[in-house]
Amino acid sequence: MLQVNNLTFQYKKKPVLKNISFTVKPGEHYSIIGESGSGKSTLLKLIYGTYDLKEGHIFWKDQEILGPKHKLIIGPEYMKYVAQEFDLMPFITVAENIGAYLSNFYPEEKQARINELLDVVELQAYAHTKAKELSGGQKQRVAIAKAIAKQPEVLLLDEPFSHIDNFKKQSLRRSLFKYLKEKQITCIVATHDKDDVLSFSDHMMVLHDTKIIAENTPAELYKNPENKLIASFFDEFNIIENYGIVYANQLKIVENSNLKATVKQSYFKGNYYLIEADLDGNIVFFEHDSNLEEGLNMCLSVLK
Ligand code: ADP
Ligand code: MG
């Protein structure tokens, strides 16, 4: 398994990560979440061996992952890293980019493998397009395909779908994560998108202020968010006296209760409306199946 022991790291004076320890089992899908600047990318880069460590150790199975002082080429051979700012060779085609790490010794196998990877990232139609002619999202998909071409044991993905539009994102996510599970590729994903995590991650951690402030399964953290930061990652929520953190979908209109609120605004959300209301001078949000007029008075109840 991947073992991160007591990692502390800083670029300059200010520490970015302090005493970070966690483990990821082989074949596991593990997510790192946190606000922008919380150190997600730094942690992935450290796992890849991009920087030398002054404090702490990282192991994959029984091998220590070492930084550039100890290694000529950055990155262990069993690991691939797709950076937030991925880079491709611009003047060769998508298929050639994806096959860049594959041996030319078995041309038929190489072509079959490239086709399989084009399917995973849904880029068959662009096989012969030059990388420089692709959109940001398409380039990101090529970078992912290239990283899994030689089937790494561990794949590090930094915000893997950040450049990909909503039309493609859902199906691509399912296709990629299913592929990685089938091949038992250990996958560590840095993200700020709950949809990358909820349906796919076995475990997740929350980075905040240089530390891991929570680590558990997505279901556990969703059901019992320990603080506002964790709740805000998952959904719209409220803090309600005597109840604590209450998601908008846990607050419902009832005949009578002592939570008396007045509608301020309704937001159409597709299969529901998000209602903004005034509850004793505080703004609360709840989900409702129809539009509600501003000024409407009603009673709310917490259904946890
Ligand atoms: P995230 O990926 O969660 O947005 P990063 O790991 O990119 O966060 O950054 C964490 C902190 O480290 C930020 O304060 C950022 O400004 C700083 N940082 C990131 N890369 C460098 C670098 N190469 N040199 C100096 N500071 C950096
Ligand atoms: Mg980042």
Side-chain angles (χ1 to χ4, degrees), residues 43-233:
L43 183 51
L44 286 188
K45 286 176 190 165
L46 290 170
I47 295 172
Y48 194 58
T50 311
Y51 304 115
D52 292 303
L53 296 179
K54 289 204 186 72
E55 279 175 73
H57 298 272
I58 304 171
F59 294 91
W60 171 245
K61 297 180 178 164
D62 50 7
Q63 291 179 54
E64 179 153 19
I65 298 174
L66 299 169
K69 249 190 212 156
H70 307 271
K71 242 180 139 269
L72 196 57
I73 299 167
I74 288 176
E77 48 294 339
Y78 50 81
M79 193 180 272
K80 281 280 180 291
Y81 166 54
V82 183
Q84 233 169 320
E85 322 78 28
F86 38 88
D87 63 318
L88 300 175
M89 287 176 265
F91 299 105
I92 63 171
T93 67
V94 166
E96 287 163 342
N97 264 289
I98 292 177
Y101 299 136
L102 298 175
S103 160
N104 287 319
F105 206 71
Y106 306 98
E108 274 171 30
E109 283 83 348
K110 178 170 175 173
Q111 197 48 54
R113 180 79 181 123
I114 290 172
N115 284 335
E116 183 186 20
L117 294 162
L118 284 167
D119 278 341
V120 173
V121 295
E122 299 172 12
L123 276 177
Q124 277 293 3
Y126 293 87
H128 306 295
T129 305
K130 288 203 170 72
K132 69 180 168 77
E133 290 159 21
L134 299 177
S135 72
Q138 290 164 337
K139 282 184 192 150
Q140 193 162 29
R141 280 143 67 192
V142 178
I144 292 169
K146 188 176 163 189
I148 57 178
K150 277 183 76 181
Q151 214 135 302
E153 288 180 57
V154 184
L155 180 66
L156 310 174
L157 297 172
D158 201 345
E159 310 214 4
F161 310 111
S162 56
H163 297 261
I164 295 166
D165 59 60
N166 279 332
F167 298 106
K168 263 267 164 271
K169 210 185 278 197
Q170 314 289 0
S171 78
L172 183 66
R173 221 186 240 126
R174 283 192 295 268
S175 153
L176 176 67
F177 290 144
K178 183 163 165 253
Y179 178 86
L180 297 177
K181 266 288 169 207
E182 273 168 17
K183 304 287 178 185
Q184 281 289 293
I185 296 172
T186 308
C187 162
I188 306 179
V189 184
T191 182
H192 50 233
D193 188 341
K194 68 173 188 302
D195 291 333
D196 291 344
V197 179
L198 280 175
S199 316
F200 305 105
S201 283
D202 300 304
H203 279 93
M204 60 184 282
M205 71 148 82
V206 186
L207 274 183
H208 180 66
D209 193 15
T210 74
K211 295 197 180 67
I212 299 175
I213 59 161
E215 198 198 18
N216 212 321
T217 61
E220 239 357 270
L221 288 184
Y222 178 83
K223 273 186 275 172
N224 303 303
E226 284 161 39
N227 55 51
K228 291 196 253 185
L229 180 79
I230 300 172
S232 69
F233 173 72

Side-chain angles (χ1 to χ4, degrees), residues 17-53:
L17 298 168
K18 259 195 232 165
N19 301 112
I20 299 290
S21 296
F22 64 100
T23 57
V24 181
K25 294 198 193 91
E28 208 174 10
H29 178 145
Y30 190 97
S31 289
I32 301 169
I33 71 148
E35 296 155 295
S36 190
S38 58
K40 303 183 294 296
S41 296
T42 302
L43 183 51
L44 286 188
K45 286 176 190 165
L46 290 170
I47 295 172
Y48 194 58
T50 311
Y51 304 115
D52 292 303
L53 296 179

